[in-house]
Amino acid sequence: MPSAPALDKASAPATAVALALRGIGRTFPTGVVAVEDFDLDVPAGQFLALLGPSGCGKSTLLRLIAGLDVPDAGRFDPPPPTTGLAYVFQDAHLLPWRTVLGNVALPLELAGVTDEQRQQRARDAIAQVGLTDALDRYPAQLSGGMRMRASLARALVTEPKLLLLDEPFAALDEITRQQLDEQLRRLWHQRAMTVIFVTHSIGEAAFLAQRAIVLSPRPARIVLDHEVALPDQRSMELRSSPAFAAQTGVLFAALQRGSQ
């Protein structure tokens, strides 16, 4: 496997999480081999995109990293709960009977944080995703983009050092999706987290990530381990630049190779 692009050790956030998977395998009871003999290193503080065709094992890998599933083979120790791990799914999964504030504060409530502290931390997280005007609204009163912002705020309220996202913006319209991509990158800069983002979108992977890994059809193998050669500060205008087209071209070619 190609060596992983590494962050400068002097600049790697002390609070972020580094990951190492060795020879990971996962076969489901149906006999489907989702992942086989898979190695992956993720330096602390890196924004990594996992890109590949449907059913290739991207979500399985994310669940294994989160500790939501257990590998059949290989070695990987999921980060302990005290590390701070948050998972954002494709569906927002908001409780319909709770307001935005109540939904975002829920992880802190379950953790036994005092009412005053969790209210303030929830308000701060909501402000970071630009939802302050919707504090008292219920999920049914929100657009799809607003629901995903609330889901992201609920993940951020725990101050995670590792943030895992499984195609969270896939069902949104293109403009909303691009706006949330920009916001997520800003939050990554502010929070100094390690982020792993699963997507089908070549453009989204190129825009968001420092590093993009292209996977083959199931069982997942690495077709390309690519350092994204784009400026650290990225805005929506970047998507129309020749440099962005060059990066998406590299990823598209790798997807084509992997499917042959």
Side-chain angles (χ1 to χ4, degrees), residues 105 107-119 121 157:
L108 301 179
E109 183 180 331
L110 296 174
V113 176
T114 65
D115 181 66
E116 183 178 354
Q117 286 183 321
R118 69 174 180 259
Q119 291 288 318
R121 286 172 60 181
V157 77

Side-chain angles (χ1 to χ4, degrees), residues 87-96 100 103-104 106-107 131 138-140 142-155 166-172 180:
Y87 199 118
V88 180
F89 296 88
Q90 186 170 346
D91 190 294
H93 292 298
L94 301 177
L95 299 179
V100 168
N103 269 287
V104 174
L106 180 59
L131 267 186
Y138 290 88
L142 305 177
S143 67
M146 293 171 78
R147 286 194 292 273
M148 286 313 307
R149 288 176 193 269
S151 179
L152 185 56
R154 185 177 56 192
D166 192 358
E167 300 187 71
F169 311 144
L172 303 177
L180 287 174

Side-chain angles (χ1 to χ4, degrees), residues 226-249:
H226 178 67
E227 188 168 4
V228 179
L230 290 172
D232 188 51
Q233 299 299 323
R234 301 175 192 177
S235 64
M236 202 177 295
E237 290 72 27
L238 177 67
R239 295 176 185 266
S240 60
S241 71
F244 187 79
Q247 293 302 303
T248 57

Side-chain angles (χ1 to χ4, degrees), residues 61-84:
L61 280 168
L62 210 64
R63 289 177 60 83
L64 292 171
I65 291 169
L68 299 176
D69 197 1
V70 180
D72 305 310
R75 190 178 81 252
F76 172 63
D77 297 321
T82 53
T83 297

Side-chain angles (χ1 to χ4, degrees), residues 123-201:
R123 288 175 183 274
D124 289 344
I126 290 167
Q128 278 203 299
V129 301
L131 267 186
T132 299
D133 291 344
L135 275 173
D136 298 321
R137 296 189 198 176
Y138 290 88
Q141 299 171 306
L142 305 177
S143 67
M146 293 171 78
R147 286 194 292 273
M148 286 313 307
R149 288 176 193 269
S151 179
L152 185 56
R154 185 177 56 192
L156 294 173
V157 77
T158 61
E159 300 178 356
K161 300 175 182 67
L162 174 61
L163 180 62
L164 307 176
L165 304 103
D166 192 358
E167 300 187 71
F169 311 144
L172 303 177
D173 66 86
E174 192 62 24
I175 295 298
T176 301
R177 183 172 183 163
Q178 291 186 17
Q179 289 171 343
L180 287 174
D181 284 345
E182 280 193 274
Q183 191 160 45
L184 177 58
R185 246 193 96 83
R186 284 196 299 270
L187 290 167
W188 167 66
H189 272 290
Q190 294 165 6
R191 296 290 189 111
M193 306 170 285
T194 304
V195 178
I196 303 179
F197 190 99
V198 165
T199 181
H200 283 111
S201 169

